[in-house]
Amino acid sequence: TKSLSCLLLSANRIGDKGAEVLSQGMFDGHLKRLDLTDNGMGPRGAKAIAAMLLVNRHLEDLNLSFNYLGDTGVTALADVLETNSSLKSLCLRNTRMSNDGAHAFATKLPQMRGLKQLVITRNFIDKDGTSALLSGLRRNMEIEHLHIEDKLSTPILREIIHWIRLNKAGRRVFRDSRLPVTLWPDILSHFNVNVDVDVLYHFISEKPDVFQCSRVVGLLGN
């Protein structure tokens, strides 16, 4: 139905078969939010949802936590997010995802253009998986919330926070070569250069030629 925008079905027993039936009805659906937490789904159900996401351009928030998706199911979802730009939030907490699943997401992260939040806590991801995700995050300018594990080593966590901050500040804008130089002072005026040190450093790295503009020099001098 076109009037239904939110469907919460957590803690039921729909399983893979239910996920397949539900996905078929959503190929041209208008749902914005779908919660299928704790439904006994496995890789087959995840693949059905991934197939739906190939054509569905309305769903923005998807929660598949506490299902048995494994690396096979998680990889299917990662693959489809390379082309789906409408999904903004994906929660895969406790889905039996290991380093292999983390590597699958890391490989696709640079191509993802829509996803803003990815939650993959309480999985079997160690330093190897988090390092891979960090590598993918460096080339992703959209993710603004990446929740992996609380046990991250300090250097990895610190760098993840660094890239997340840049994305929140609009790192994609810094890469836009079409913007005329005269607009950059107005863009920079929205940042507190005393606080957003990461943003300032990234701006200098990406647009060193802009510092020839006297308005930018004056702005930073203040």
Side-chain angles (χ1 to χ4, degrees):
T1 174
K2 293 184 178 181
S3 62
L4 187 65
S5 62
C6 179
L7 184 59
L8 309 179
L9 293 174
S10 61
N12 284 286
R13 300 178 181 178
I14 70 170
D16 287 333
K17 184 61 177 178
E20 289 174 340
V21 173
L22 182 63
S23 297
Q24 290 172 5
M26 289 182 57
F27 273 77
D28 58 351
H30 287 71
L31 276 180
K32 297 291 186 181
R33 181 186 176 194
L34 176 62
D35 187 347
L36 296 178
T37 302
D38 189 16
N39 267 290
M41 291 167 47
R44 203 176 95 197
K47 288 181 179 179
I49 291 174
M52 175 269 294
L53 290 173
L54 274 175
V55 296
N56 184 294
R57 291 297 180 265
H58 296 280
L59 193 65
E60 298 179 357
D61 187 335
L62 176 62
N63 193 338
L64 299 175
S65 298
F66 294 90
N67 286 292
Y68 313 122
L69 309 184
D71 291 325
T72 301
V74 165
T75 298
L77 293 166
D79 288 342
V80 76
L81 291 178
E82 190 174 20
T83 55
N84 180 301
S85 60
S86 56
L87 193 70
K88 306 303 180 189
S89 176
L90 176 62
C91 189
L92 298 172
R93 184 182 292 111
N94 194 1
T95 52
R96 298 190 178 182
M97 176 181 181
S98 74
N99 287 337
D100 289 341
H103 276 272
F105 260 96
T107 301
K108 301 300 182 181
L109 272 175
Q111 288 76 46
M112 292 183 189
R113 296 291 180 265
L115 200 66
K116 300 294 184 183
Q117 174 171 275
L118 177 62
V119 181
I120 51 176
T121 55
R122 299 187 66 178
N123 282 294
F124 308 113
I125 303 172
D126 59 23
K127 186 177 180 180
D128 177 69
T130 56
S131 296
L133 287 164
L134 172 58
S135 178
L137 181 62
R138 292 189 185 112
R139 293 178 290 152
N140 175 291
M141 292 180 281
E142 303 296 334
I143 294 285
E144 298 181 357
H145 300 278
L146 177 59
H147 306 279
I148 307 174
E149 293 293 343
D150 296 329
K151 298 179 181 178
L152 289 176
S153 64
T154 301
I156 295 177
L157 178 60
R158 187 175 298 144
E159 190 169 350
I160 285 175
I161 293 173
H162 165 78
W163 292 108
I164 290 296
R165 285 184 62 192
L166 290 180
N167 286 352
K168 286 183 176 180
R171 179 159 62 117
R172 71 191 69 80
V173 177
F174 298 144
R175 289 287 180 92
D176 193 342
S177 60
R178 297 168 298 176
L179 290 175
V181 171
T182 53
L183 286 182
W184 284 107
D186 296 323
I187 293 172
L188 278 179
S189 68
H190 294 285
F191 300 112
N192 183 341
V193 294
N194 295 317
V195 176
D196 300 321
V197 178
D198 288 344
V199 176
L200 176 59
Y201 173 79
H202 190 72
F203 179 81
I204 295 173
S205 302
E206 291 290 331
K207 299 288 182 181
D209 55 307
V210 173
F211 279 83
Q212 298 176 9
C213 176
S214 60
R215 286 184 62 202
V216 171
V217 175
L219 177 66
L220 297 178
N222 295 330

